[in-house]
Amino acid sequence: NIQEKKEIAKMIDFNEEPLYPTAGVVTRRNPVIQTSGPVFELKLNITDSEVVMLADTAQWESSAVILRSTTVLAFRPAWKERPLSCNLNNAEVFSCVLGKEEETALSIIDPVTINLEIWGRGEVVPASKGLLDVNEDTDVERIADIQLQQLNIRLSYHDAIMFRHILNSLPKQAQEALAGSAETRVEDANLQLEHPANVRSQIEQLASLGFSKQDCLKALQNSGNQLDDAALWLTQNASPQRTPSPTKSKPSEIEMFLGNTAVSFSSIQLKTSCVNLVVIDDCKDADCPLLELSLASLHLKQKYDRCGSLFSTISSSYYNRALSAWEPCVEPWQCAVDWTSTKLGSSGTRNTINIKSVDVVNINITSAMLELYRVVRANWGEDYYNQSTDEPLYNIPQTPPAFRRRTPFVPFALHNTTGCTLMFHTQVIATDNRKDRRNRDQSSSLQDQEEVKDWKKVENGETAPFMFANRGKQRHQNTHQHQLHQVIVRVDGWREVKPVSVDKVGTFFRNVNALRNTSSLTEIPPARVVFQVSLEGSARKLITVRSALEIENKLAVPLKIRLENTALKVADVKEFELLPRAKLPVPILYCWAKMTARPFVANSYQWKFSDKQVHWCHILDSSDNSLELHESQHAVSPKTPPYRFCVAVRRLGFPQEALAIGPGSKAWVQPAHLITFLPPVTLINLLPCQLQFSLQGTSNNGEVKPGSETPLLIDTSALYVLDFYLENFPGIGSLIMQPGTSAFEARIKLSDNKSRPLYLNIKVSVRYGGSVFITVFAPYWIVNKTGLPMLFKQEGDK
């Protein structure tokens, strides 16, 4: 009895085995196996393990990729249905700098629990063959099943560069040890380089008999490259290499991954609720999301024969940096994809991909997305190839991207152009839940006490970078949350303004009252503070705090602006220079000052300030926009004609004044205007040759280059005549301009030396309420878009 209990299995003789009936007519004898005793099982619990891959082993503070997880592994080779199961708890992948893991850690794969199990599906059994179904065993398909809840992957530009460098820096010896012997590869390479193609073909044919390639080459040399004689020489003078005998596989046997092992399987299956891949642009002066690809309800299956299928709902979005929000690029689209690989002959294969869907694919392409693609493509290309935009023909030696330390990106900056010192602080408000908002309102007093400590001071003309949240390990996780990033500003002399959201690019304003100061002799008026949010570089938002009154110069010379602030302070005069094509805001305290201007040519004082003042307070609506002609007399020679320029005052799209402002009213008109200095007449030449002009009755003449424009300082309040002529065309064409003219088109006639006419078109347009623009162009144009030079001539002419 004791000896029988110790037996694990006992085979019964086939001659003594009874008959077991089957479903068919033919009966078969199956051996009865008695099993007892424990089943071997190996369990490994690895807690808080880390797999570290370095970008450069020669550097002490090298970039690294770390896989951290808690692993539970169970191996049961005797259990055919479930031989292996593996569980990764809180598995995460992140990059960091060695020695500074906490400060520099950036998540690549968020913590996720992954379950891997190899199991056999009993329902996948070969079909019954009736009378011929007399096999002793039935094959069961085994699947490597991977299941997880949600997989979040964040891959940035620097991560991709680092992964590429890590793969390229792996030791070649390790690769050759995994792939096979290095000496055999070198010999094969030498054979391929030293001998022609026909000899290599003969060597391959002889090597298929089991002999080494060196012996095959020696046999060909001894037999004069005769294939039959070389084969006979090999059988007599060489011995074939030992190769593992091929296993006799049944026609119905399924090829497996990790074949001939206890954990072999024929297909891989992945099931997850969602896979999110977020591509991050952290190249150069940016660190913000770029693109997101989402695969919801993903079911992926890949077989050993390279056939597979995928079922999922695909969607994609891109991050609009101007709005700080995600915008859909591909709407959710449910589809099924399957692929097959068919062998064609002995070497070729044919791959087939089938996509099936009953839904319509909705793709959104916007101008913001195309502009983002252009910027990112240019930045990534320049950084990857270490090129400079200034010298595109030469590569500038730079630090390889894999070794560069990531500079912290500060996404916001505040620029103060108010003319006063200001203080500001930030706050973040979540708009998802109203209950949170009520709780926040109740604790507003406590928050105010805490926010007083975060006030930052910015002097006039300075720029202060800032951020709303500190850099975290799981980067850009809050981009899908509905949050308002707000700035609260307090300009010196005025009260604190209401919060302004700076997430979107645009122009915003706040009206603010002044602080009452009993020691001041005059009252400081209420002000309108403008917040202009714009993109600086490729991703940083620049918040410019200024007044609502701006001045722009469209003259060809600089201007000197004089502000006499006698309304608020005694003998307070401020002057500043305004360059051509520039726009500057007026300081808040000087918005109501008396404004005069003069040309500032060559940093000299030869021109006086204009007698007229620039007034804007009387323009309360855009229909009241005005344009006036100003004159600056010459300071040295009074006989010199004055310098004439126009001043256009336009009211921008700010709300209308709420107070009734009249002659006896003490209310202050808030600025909302743009003051433009521009020439009275502008002459534009669209001809392919120089255009010469002169003003009748004066010495004012000149020429305009092709495609250029020139200002004409003419008194438009009186009638004037312009004469036009070209080189080799002595005939003059005249244009008569009446005061207060409107837009029109006309033709002028010029003539050459043979009195043949040449007609030119002239288009007169009036802008800014009175400034005249005269455009001269040819009636017929030839546009060459062929990419080849063209020759043409007039019919009947040489």
Side-chain angles (χ1 to χ4, degrees), residues 52-342:
V52 182
M53 300 180 65
L54 298 180
D56 184 16
T57 56
Q59 290 188 353
W60 179 257
E61 293 184 352
S62 172
S63 299
V65 179
I66 299 178
L67 168 62
R68 177 184 295 169
S69 67
T70 297
T71 308
V72 178
L73 179 67
F75 178 52
R76 299 175 290 268
W79 193 2
K80 186 177 180 180
E81 287 75 12
R82 298 181 184 274
L84 178 67
S85 62
C86 181
N87 179 267
L88 298 177
N89 291 317
N90 293 327
E92 62 172 339
V93 178
F94 60 92
S95 63
C96 66
V97 176
L98 287 184
K100 297 181 180 181
E101 178 182 334
E102 298 297 332
E103 297 86 354
T104 61
L106 295 174
S107 175
I108 298 177
I109 298 180
D110 289 351
V112 62
T113 299
I114 303 175
N115 295 318
L116 168 64
E117 189 169 14
I118 298 178
W119 56 283
R121 289 188 3 186
E123 63 270 15
V124 183
V125 179
S128 176
K129 299 179 182 179
L131 296 175
L132 300 179
D133 190 11
V134 294
N135 295 329
E136 293 183 358
D137 295 322
T138 58
D139 293 332
V140 178
E141 181 186 13
R142 296 218 294 201
I143 297 177
D145 193 5
I146 303 174
Q147 293 187 0
L148 59 153
Q149 288 296 323
Q150 183 173 352
L151 182 63
N152 295 323
I153 304 173
R154 296 183 178 92
L155 188 64
S156 67
Y157 170 80
H158 276 89
D159 295 334
I161 295 296
M162 183 174 56
F163 279 125
R164 179 179 177 274
H165 186 77
I166 290 176
L167 294 178
N168 293 336
S169 64
L170 291 177
K172 295 182 179 180
Q173 294 81 1
Q175 295 180 359
E176 293 169 352
L178 296 175
S181 174
E183 298 177 357
T184 304
R185 289 204 222 163
V186 173
E187 292 175 359
D188 295 345
N190 293 334
L191 289 176
Q192 293 181 0
L193 294 176
E194 294 176 359
H195 303 287
N198 58 346
V199 176
R200 293 200 301 267
S201 177
Q202 292 177 340
I203 292 175
E204 293 292 338
Q205 295 180 19
L206 294 174
S208 63
L209 301 176
F211 298 95
S212 66
K213 292 186 178 181
Q214 293 293 336
D215 292 340
C216 295
L217 176 62
K218 188 175 180 181
L220 288 173
Q221 293 174 352
N222 293 331
S223 60
N225 290 337
Q226 297 295 324
L227 194 62
D228 296 337
D229 296 343
L232 183 61
W233 187 92
L234 285 172
T235 57
Q236 297 175 356
N237 300 288
S239 57
Q241 295 178 343
R242 294 183 179 180
T243 56
S245 59
T247 58
K248 296 181 180 180
S249 59
K250 304 176 184 179
S252 61
E253 185 177 350
I254 303 175
E255 295 181 343
M256 300 252 185
F257 296 98
L258 304 177
N260 300 325
T261 62
V263 293
S264 61
F265 53 91
S266 60
S267 59
I268 303 174
Q269 180 175 273
L270 172 64
K271 291 183 179 180
T272 178
S273 60
C274 187
V275 175
N276 290 327
L277 172 62
V278 179
V279 181
I280 299 174
D281 178 19
D282 59 352
C283 180
K284 290 189 175 181
D285 59 342
D287 187 6
C288 60
L290 180 64
L291 185 69
E292 181 182 29
L293 178 63
S294 178
L295 301 176
S297 303
L298 176 63
H299 184 190
L300 174 65
K301 186 175 182 180
Q302 177 67 42
K303 296 183 179 180
Y304 184 82
D305 56 358
R306 297 182 181 180
C307 299
S309 61
L310 181 145
F311 302 92
S312 179
T313 301
I314 303 175
S315 62
S316 178
S317 303
Y318 76 97
Y319 191 74
N320 192 334
R321 301 178 182 181
L323 301 178
S324 298
W326 290 96
E327 293 187 352
C329 176
V330 178
E331 303 286 349
W333 177 51
Q334 188 176 5
C335 66
V337 183
D338 61 85
W339 53 90
T340 57
S341 180
T342 307

Side-chain angles (χ1 to χ4, degrees), residues 344-624:
L344 301 177
S346 60
S347 59
T349 57
R350 181 178 65 185
N351 299 322
T352 306
I353 299 177
N354 298 320
I355 301 177
K356 301 178 182 179
S357 177
V358 296
D359 296 341
V360 178
V361 185
N362 296 319
I363 301 176
N364 306 319
I365 299 178
T366 62
S367 59
M369 184 176 65
L370 297 178
E371 178 66 18
L372 180 64
Y373 168 77
R374 185 190 62 81
V375 171
V376 172
R377 183 173 179 269
N379 290 342
W380 286 21
E382 291 174 5
D383 186 81
Y384 185 79
Y385 295 107
N386 292 337
Q387 290 182 352
S388 173
T389 56
D390 299 332
E391 298 179 1
L393 299 178
Y394 301 96
N395 291 338
I396 296 179
Q398 296 179 358
T399 307
F403 301 132
R404 294 184 208 158
R405 183 68 58 83
R406 302 188 189 189
T407 57
F409 174 68
V410 182
F412 295 92
L414 188 139
H415 181 52
N416 179 17
T417 59
T418 60
C420 308
T421 304
L422 63 82
M423 308 279 288
F424 79 97
H425 71 88
T426 62
Q427 69 178 12
V428 180
I429 295 181
T431 59
D432 292 335
N433 198 346
R434 295 183 178 179
K435 293 182 179 179
D436 295 342
R437 245 182 294 170
R438 294 196 192 104
N439 296 335
R440 188 181 298 105
D441 293 339
Q442 294 175 2
S443 60
S444 61
S445 60
L446 297 177
Q447 289 185 356
D448 291 340
Q449 295 176 1
E450 296 178 357
E451 290 173 353
V452 170
K453 302 177 182 179
D454 297 333
W455 285 97
K456 297 180 181 179
K457 183 178 181 180
V458 184
E459 298 291 340
N460 180 37
E462 291 185 354
T463 302
F466 67 95
M467 55 177 44
F468 286 88
N470 294 329
R471 177 177 170 180
K473 183 177 181 180
Q474 296 180 350
R475 42 190 166 167
H476 310 296
Q477 192 175 17
N478 58 352
T479 54
H480 286 282
Q481 301 176 2
H482 297 283
Q483 294 181 343
L484 293 179
H485 297 83
Q486 296 180 339
V487 172
I488 296 94
V489 173
R490 185 172 63 203
V491 183
D492 189 16
W494 284 269
R495 296 183 182 274
E496 181 180 313
V497 302
K498 294 181 179 180
V500 178
S501 176
V502 295
D503 292 314
K504 299 180 181 180
V505 172
T507 303
F508 313 93
F509 73 94
R510 293 290 184 268
N511 294 328
V512 58
N513 294 324
L515 293 173
R516 292 185 177 181
N517 190 359
T518 56
S519 61
S520 177
L521 299 178
T522 58
E523 179 183 1
I524 298 179
R528 174 173 287 162
V529 182
V530 176
F531 298 84
Q532 186 172 354
V533 184
S534 59
L535 278 179
E536 183 184 33
S538 59
R540 189 167 82 158
K541 287 187 172 64
L542 178 65
I543 301 102
T544 303
V545 185
R546 59 174 177 84
S547 66
L549 183 63
E550 286 187 298
I551 306 176
E552 64 175 346
N553 180 16
K554 291 196 173 184
L555 295 173
V557 298
L559 285 175
K560 181 72 76 172
I561 307 298
R562 180 183 179 91
L563 301 174
E564 298 181 6
N565 199 17
T566 57
L568 299 180
K569 295 182 180 180
V570 179
D572 185 10
V573 179
K574 183 179 181 64
E575 293 184 3
F576 61 92
E577 183 181 356
L578 185 61
L579 297 176
R581 308 298 176 185
K583 180 191 290 186
L584 290 178
V586 177
I588 295 181
L589 278 174
Y590 293 87
C591 286
W592 296 270
K594 296 179 181 179
M595 183 185 305
T596 54
R598 67 174 180 86
F600 193 57
V601 181
N603 294 331
S604 63
Y605 295 88
Q606 59 180 345
W607 298 102
K608 297 181 180 179
F609 284 97
S610 61
D611 297 333
K612 291 184 180 180
Q613 296 182 4
V614 180
H615 298 284
W616 58 265
C617 293
H618 63 286
I619 300 177
L620 304 179
D621 190 81
S622 58
S623 60
D624 300 332

Side-chain angles (χ1 to χ4, degrees), residues 4 7-12 31-37:
E4 292 178 358
E7 289 181 357
I8 296 178
K10 180 181 179 182
M11 303 299 296
I12 300 176
V32 179
I33 301 175
Q34 297 178 357
T35 60
S36 63

